[in-house]
Amino acid sequence: MTDFDQANRLTAEGGHKRAGAFLEFVELFVTARGRRRLPDAAFQLVTLFFTIVVLAILGGIIFYLAEGSVLAFRTYGLGFLYTSVWNPGAEPMKFGSLAPVYGTVMTSIIAMVIGVPLSFGVAIFITELCPTWAKRSLSTAIELLAGIPSIIYGMWGLFTVVPILQEHVQPFLIATLGHAPLIGSLFAGPPLGVGVLTAGVILAVMVLPFISSIMRDVFETVPPMLKESAYGLGCTTWEVMWNIVLPYTKVGVVGGIMLGLGRAMGETMAVTYVIGNSSRIAPSLLAPGKSIASTLANEFNNTSEPLYLSSLIALGLILFLLTFIVLAAAKVMLIRLQRQAGG
Amino acid sequence: MSSTRNFDMRRYLHRRSHNWTVLALATSATALALLVLAAILFKLVWSGLSAWGPAFFTMNMPPPDRDGGLANAILGSVLMTVAGTAIGTPVGILAGTYLAEYGRGSRFAQFVQFINDILLSAPSIIIGLFIFQVMVVPMGHSSGWAGSVALSILMIPIVVRTTVDMLALVPNGLREAAAALGTPKWKVVTSVCYRAAIQGMLTGIMLAVARISGETAPLLFTALGNDSWTWNMNAPMGNLPLAINKFVNETSEIWNRLAWGGALLVTVAVLALNIAARSIVNIGSVKR
């Protein structure tokens, strides 16, 4: 036993762990045994360093966005959060985040309303109906939808989906739902094609592969015994899905939906192309609007005015915090399901 | 007695038709998803293929209504993707190694993995803003390097995640056998664990490359775009997504055609990488 070992043991016994660690560190360079362990310690230290880099990225994002938005919040105070005027042309410039935040939230809600049932349908088809030989290629095809870049969805949305919505779907919505009580005002106005609803539709397609693949994964955690018992009692496929699989996996399913929601809120190019870019909050879903991400994409490069830039960065900070909360909640739920499945 | 039987029959038929309806809806949802995929690909080929010619790959981005191509944008995209991959891969693999080999199960590692998973889905335009603040403002100008770093930050969480997952699949027996021979831990990790997990890690890297090569939002404020041929990564740099973004909504017909040609090229590249990444794992599992 070397002196260093002894010293280590003594300090550890005395509870001075820090001194122990320090001695261990010195030992690496001094004793022969330590020198043999040097590459090991170095490798561990290097990997630890890059792990901390990952944390530093998150810290850096929050710090730099906060630093950049100081000017905006100093000028407008908390009013920035609840005023809806976004007017860089005014003298002096006036900025409030309500219109972009409304657009981000509204397009994401529409995306979830359309996208979640679709994703659920796809997940049911793949887990319960699809013949085994087609399962793999079908899953790959659905996942390719997730691989298509955002800007391509934007172009396809603008040149294919917008004309269809404008000529067929929106006139129909205006003629029917537009006259309904309560929700009528949501479907009022001229059929422009572009607008909040269109952005929501495109987002629904974009989040479908994410949500459906998580649903599929969590459906597979259901013990076959439970499903077989239900089938044995004479349940139909749908009854098994709705009464057995869904209750068993609900935490995971909600987690998957939240993950999709987080994606939808931050989606930039696709939304920018089809949302119509208007700074007014309109009651109708058919009207053009703007989201936080589309505002950044459209306006950030057009200015060098410090207050304008700072207001845009403040919008970015709001978006990041919103997605952070949603994604963190999603992650917590998925971890809970994992624990449940494991234990 | 017979009335009960009738009642049961009605109920049974109702349940059955309900079931059929839902399953039909599920099938149509799947059909719709596949239809969207087909429609996007069809539209891209329909509008984009006619732009592909020698000029498309050899000439630079033209002024309005002049002939040209996207050669400089293709070069910029390749350079920035390669640089982004070169920065992001080692960082991601080493961080993933710590989480899987040294910190497994510790609170610190769980926390980092939690943060990593959030970064994985963080809006890419926010990464662009962050790099704008960190690199573009201090340097005083946009640059290909800033774009590359933004792309690498998008890539790191993906690589970390797949590295951790794949190293977790390596059986402990392998590590113990190597350790029993007196192999130092770093050697166990690099020569045994990496070798066992290499296919999965490669898949992760390729998926990450696929992801970053189609990204537009993080490049808007960092690489800015450039219409001329340049190898200088310390200056604003052209790239395919930004070229598409610039050309697609203009009145110039040549610009529009180039935009769709570029869109087809980006999508083909991204989907090919995606499929290739998945098939690596397939081949691997067949061999085993």
Side-chain angles (χ1 to χ4, degrees):
Chain A
M1 192 182 282
T2 62
D3 292 347
F4 276 100
D5 281 340
Q6 225 153 13
N8 262 337
R9 223 156 49 110
L10 287 177
T11 47
E13 277 164 10
H16 302 295
K17 282 199 172 152
R18 199 166 295 196
F22 176 72
L23 279 178
E24 254 177 51
F25 183 72
V26 175
E27 181 192 14
L28 288 174
F29 299 93
V30 184
T31 65
R33 209 194 91 192
R35 272 196 293 271
R36 259 182 283 123
R37 281 174 46 204
L38 188 60
D40 241 1
F43 187 70
Q44 182 172 0
L45 228 74
V46 169
T47 56
L48 177 62
F49 171 76
F50 285 109
T51 310
I52 291 169
V53 165
V54 173
L55 287 184
I57 291 174
L58 179 84
I61 292 175
I62 294 174
F63 173 78
Y64 277 97
L65 290 184
E67 193 209 19
S69 51
V70 163
L71 181 61
F73 281 111
R74 196 172 284 157
T75 313
Y76 303 113
L78 285 179
F80 185 78
L81 297 177
Y82 54 78
T83 28
S84 61
V85 184
W86 184 269
N87 190 354
E91 195 62 50
M93 295 178 166
K94 282 194 72 98
F95 297 110
S97 65
L98 210 54
V101 170
Y102 168 83
T104 297
V105 171
M106 209 57 192
T107 49
S108 310
I109 290 176
I110 298 171
M112 291 301 114
V113 169
I114 302 172
V116 168
L118 281 179
S119 312
F120 188 46
V122 172
I124 292 182
F125 184 84
I126 292 182
T127 49
E128 300 294 324
L129 298 176
C130 185
T132 323
W133 53 267
K135 228 174 214 176
R136 234 204 123 76
S137 32
L138 185 63
S139 308
T140 310
I142 299 288
E143 272 160 38
L144 285 188
L145 268 180
I148 293 176
S150 176
I151 190 171
I152 307 296
Y153 276 105
M155 295 166 76
W156 179 71
L158 186 58
F159 291 96
T160 307
V161 179
V162 164
I164 295 176
L165 286 181
Q166 186 173 16
E167 283 159 32
H168 305 291
V169 180
Q170 290 187 348
F172 172 75
L173 286 177
I174 294 167
T176 52
L177 290 176
H179 300 297
L182 292 177
I183 58 165
S185 62
L186 288 178
F187 299 97
L192 296 172
V194 295
V196 174
L197 180 69
T198 316
V201 169
I202 301 287
L203 284 177
V205 177
M206 296 181 74
V207 296
L208 184 149
F210 292 105
I211 301 181
S212 71
S213 86
I214 290 180
M215 283 184 175
R216 219 182 56 213
D217 288 350
V218 300
F219 287 171
E220 267 157 26
T221 65
V222 179
M225 191 77 83
L226 279 183
K227 284 162 71 177
E228 282 160 17
S229 310
Y231 279 123
L233 290 173
C235 285
T236 60
T237 312
W238 168 246
E239 284 164 350
V240 172
M241 288 308 287
W242 189 252
N243 298 323
I244 308 294
V245 174
L246 214 49
Y248 189 85
T249 55
K250 64 175 181 288
V251 192
V253 169
V254 174
I257 293 171
M258 304 274 278
L259 205 66
L261 180 63
R263 291 260 174 180
M265 293 198 309
E267 203 49 69
T268 309
M269 297 319 288
V271 173
T272 307
Y273 277 40
V274 296
I275 199 169
N277 301 310
S278 146
S279 302
R280 224 167 56 84
I281 301 181
S284 171
L285 297 180
L286 306 182
K290 59 167 31 176
S291 76
I292 294 178
S294 80
T295 309
L296 286 170
N298 274 324
E299 301 180 21
F300 197 79
N301 278 340
N302 298 341
T303 179
S304 53
E305 199 66 44
L307 184 57
Y308 197 174
L309 282 179
S310 176
S311 301
L312 287 167
I313 292 173
L315 277 187
L317 182 65
I318 294 172
L319 174 63
F320 187 70
L321 295 179
L322 282 178
T323 48
F324 190 93
I325 294 166
V326 170
L327 293 171
K331 199 60 208 151
V332 167
M333 288 178 178
L334 288 170
I335 290 174
R336 259 174 59 193
L337 181 87
Q338 236 168 17
R339 293 237 174 89
Q340 176 196 329
Chain B
M1 199 62 205
S2 83
S3 77
T4 343
R5 196 176 296 149
N6 281 343
F7 178 70
D8 280 345
M9 196 63 201
R10 270 226 312 272
R11 204 174 131 101
Y12 169 70
L13 286 178
H14 173 75
R15 283 172 57 209
R16 206 173 63 166
S17 68
H18 194 71
N19 188 42
W20 283 121
T21 319
V22 174
L23 295 186
L25 285 176
T27 312
S28 18
T30 313
L32 184 71
L34 293 179
L35 187 76
V36 167
L37 180 66
I40 293 176
L41 295 180
F42 177 77
K43 172 74 179 159
L44 284 171
V45 172
W46 182 261
S47 307
L49 203 58
S50 62
W52 283 20
F56 181 84
F57 295 99
T58 53
M59 290 172 72
N60 291 337
M61 287 160 68
D65 296 318
R66 295 275 189 73
D67 260 345
L70 293 177
N72 65 313
I74 296 172
L75 175 77
S77 269
V78 170
L79 284 181
M80 283 196 287
T81 305
V82 168
T85 309
I87 302 167
T89 308
V91 177
I93 287 187
L94 288 171
T97 305
Y98 181 85
L99 295 175
E101 297 291 329
Y102 293 98
R104 187 178 292 184
S106 75
R107 278 185 169 229
F108 173 68
Q110 280 174 352
F111 176 69
V112 176
Q113 271 178 276
F114 184 81
I115 295 298
N116 186 67
D117 280 348
I118 287 176
L119 284 176
L120 192 71
S121 303
S124 55
I125 192 152
I126 296 296
I127 309 292
L129 268 188
F130 168 54
I131 296 300
F132 175 86
Q133 290 280 81
V134 177
M135 288 182 73
V136 177
V137 171
M139 286 162 76
H141 58 87
S142 313
S143 66
W145 286 122
S148 309
V149 173
L151 292 180
S152 76
I153 288 184
L154 278 175
M155 182 166 187
I156 289 170
I158 308 177
V159 179
V160 169
R161 177 70 191 268
T162 42
T163 306
V164 171
D165 288 353
M166 291 305 138
L167 287 177
L169 289 180
V170 176
N172 260 335
L174 282 183
R175 294 190 186 92
E176 282 158 11
L181 294 173
T183 324
K185 176 124 188 183
W186 70 273
K187 195 106 206 218
V188 175
V189 172
T190 52
S191 321
V192 178
C193 298
Y194 281 172
R195 194 166 289 185
I198 189 75
Q199 282 173 342
M201 285 158 70
L202 261 181
T203 305
I205 293 167
M206 286 176 72
L207 286 176
V209 173
R211 162 99 196 267
I212 65 172
S213 50
E215 277 289 351
T216 318
L219 298 177
L220 277 170
F221 323 137
T222 52
L224 200 64
N226 186 341
D227 287 355
S228 44
W229 178 271
T230 176
W231 288 84
N232 182 5
M233 295 197 51
N234 203 20
M237 192 160 224
N239 56 80
L240 275 173
L242 289 187
I244 298 168
N245 188 40
K246 179 181 173 188
F247 283 173
V248 73
N249 262 332
E250 299 298 327
T251 44
S252 159
E253 211 167 283
I254 296 173
W255 274 13
N256 284 336
R257 229 187 38 237
L258 287 177
W260 284 102
L264 178 63
L265 183 61
V266 167
T267 311
V268 166
V270 168
L271 294 190
L273 272 168
N274 256 304
I275 293 172
R278 282 164 219 281
S279 58
I280 291 182
V281 178
N282 281 351
I283 296 166
S285 56
V286 168
K287 250 195 263 170
R288 232 176 278 143

